[in-house]
Amino acid sequence: MHTVPAVASVPLPVEPAVPGEPSTQAVIAWYDAHARDLPWRRPGTTPWEVLVSEVMSQQTPVARVIPAWQEWMRRWPGPAELAQAPTAEVLRVWGRLGYPRRALRLIECARSVVEQHDGVLPDDLDALLALPGVGEYTAGAVLAFAHGRRALVLDTNVRRVLARAVGGQALPAPNLNRAERERALHLLPADDATAAHWSVAVMELGALVCTAREPDCTACPWRGDCAWLAAGRPVDVHAGRRRTQAWHGTDRQARGLVMARLREAVDGRPVEAGELVACAARAGSRASGAGAPDPDQPGRALTTLLVDGLIATDDDGAIYRLP
């Protein structure tokens, strides 16, 4: 989540284009010709369905999100249905999307929508931001993609495109800063419909063409004015500040192995702690190039999952189940 202040989704004056800025219509035309047919982009998709898709898509490949989203919406098409869903079943459907706390936040969000907004997802920025698990990006995405409004939508893909095309950098800084926000707002078209179209177009450009590792500059509608391309595609100046997203041998992997075992338990039956400890220990044994496995990792995985509300025990830790 971003820590900078939110900006209201109201039209702001946009300065005339200057060298290095794209043709808005060129980027939008590229999107219209190349956009993926994602189920949550189809006509009739509700704002709630858009919100769920955005939460699921954070740090997760779209190919994994599509079947999970479709099954989720089949079971719980709106906030009222999700608010009453058993937590264990929600976590089972969440499956391998990763970061399962997002599923718990969606349940909390649904309950807040039911209790505070009569089951209808609000279309006001401040009201959206007040919902559990909804940050500036998700709120902006709902306003732009569900309501066609002018709103700031800065995900990893958009930040990367703007950092390269306008800033001349290989990748944006690790953390969103005020200069990035001002640059994005300056480029955002003034009218609602064009701004919403632009936002999804730039996001898709980052997902399909201006990718992190192998950008296809020859296919980019912005290539004629791209500052990074004009500078000879310089290297990432922020490389030393970035954290690598390790997996093998980490606590995240250990937690994931425990969750996987509990999700597959027949009829949701509890699983003995010893079996779950053995599952978590496989994370350390699979770590490549690492030293001896951390003997405390399995216990730590169970403890943190319990604290996060992702697992439960009824007998002080002899057996565990999904909550």
Side-chain angles (χ1 to χ4, degrees), residues 171-211:
L171 293 171
N175 299 310
L176 180 65
N177 57 55
R178 187 170 298 278
E180 282 186 83
R181 292 175 53 81
E182 292 174 351
R183 177 171 61 201
L185 280 171
H186 170 74
L187 292 168
L188 194 61
D191 66 284
D192 282 338
T194 307
H197 207 161
W198 163 262
S199 292
V200 71
V202 176
M203 184 178 298
E204 193 78 336
L205 186 64
L208 300 182
V209 173
C210 194
T211 56

Side-chain angles (χ1 to χ4, degrees), residues 247-297:
W247 172 250
H248 290 292
T250 63
D251 283 10
R252 279 186 56 218
Q253 186 188 20
R255 285 162 54 101
L257 291 168
V258 170
M259 292 295 295
R261 176 63 187 90
L262 290 174
R263 284 196 305 270
E264 68 186 20
V266 177
D267 297 328
R269 296 173 185 169
V271 178
E272 292 185 358
E275 183 178 348
L276 295 177
V277 166
C279 287
R282 292 204 298 270
S285 65
R286 294 176 182 177
S288 58
D294 179 356
D296 297 327
Q297 187 176 66

Side-chain angles (χ1 to χ4, degrees), residues 153-180:
V153 185
L154 279 174
D155 78 338
T156 301
N157 289 314
V158 176
R159 293 183 63 213
R160 182 171 59 254
V161 171
L162 299 187
R164 286 175 177 166
V166 183
Q169 296 182 319
L171 293 171
N175 299 310
L176 180 65
N177 57 55
R178 187 170 298 278
E180 282 186 83

Side-chain angles (χ1 to χ4, degrees), residues 273-316:
E275 183 178 348
L276 295 177
V277 166
C279 287
R282 292 204 298 270
S285 65
R286 294 176 182 177
S288 58
D294 179 356
D296 297 327
Q297 187 176 66
R300 191 164 60 243
L302 289 176
T303 298
T304 57
L305 286 169
L306 192 63
V307 170
D308 289 343
L310 291 167
I311 63 174
T313 180
D314 300 312
D315 54 8
D316 295 326

Side-chain angles (χ1 to χ4, degrees), residues 109-176:
C109 181
R111 290 171 179 166
S112 292
V113 171
V114 170
E115 295 168 2
Q116 301 173 18
H117 302 282
D118 296 323
V120 179
L121 188 69
D123 61 0
D124 172 76
L125 180 64
D126 290 336
L128 285 168
L129 290 171
L131 295 172
V134 176
E136 183 186 354
Y137 166 75
T138 303
V142 169
L143 293 176
F145 306 149
H147 299 290
R149 301 256 292 278
R150 185 181 194 271
L152 194 61
V153 185
L154 279 174
D155 78 338
T156 301
N157 289 314
V158 176
R159 293 183 63 213
R160 182 171 59 254
V161 171
L162 299 187
R164 286 175 177 166
V166 183
Q169 296 182 319
L171 293 171
N175 299 310
L176 180 65

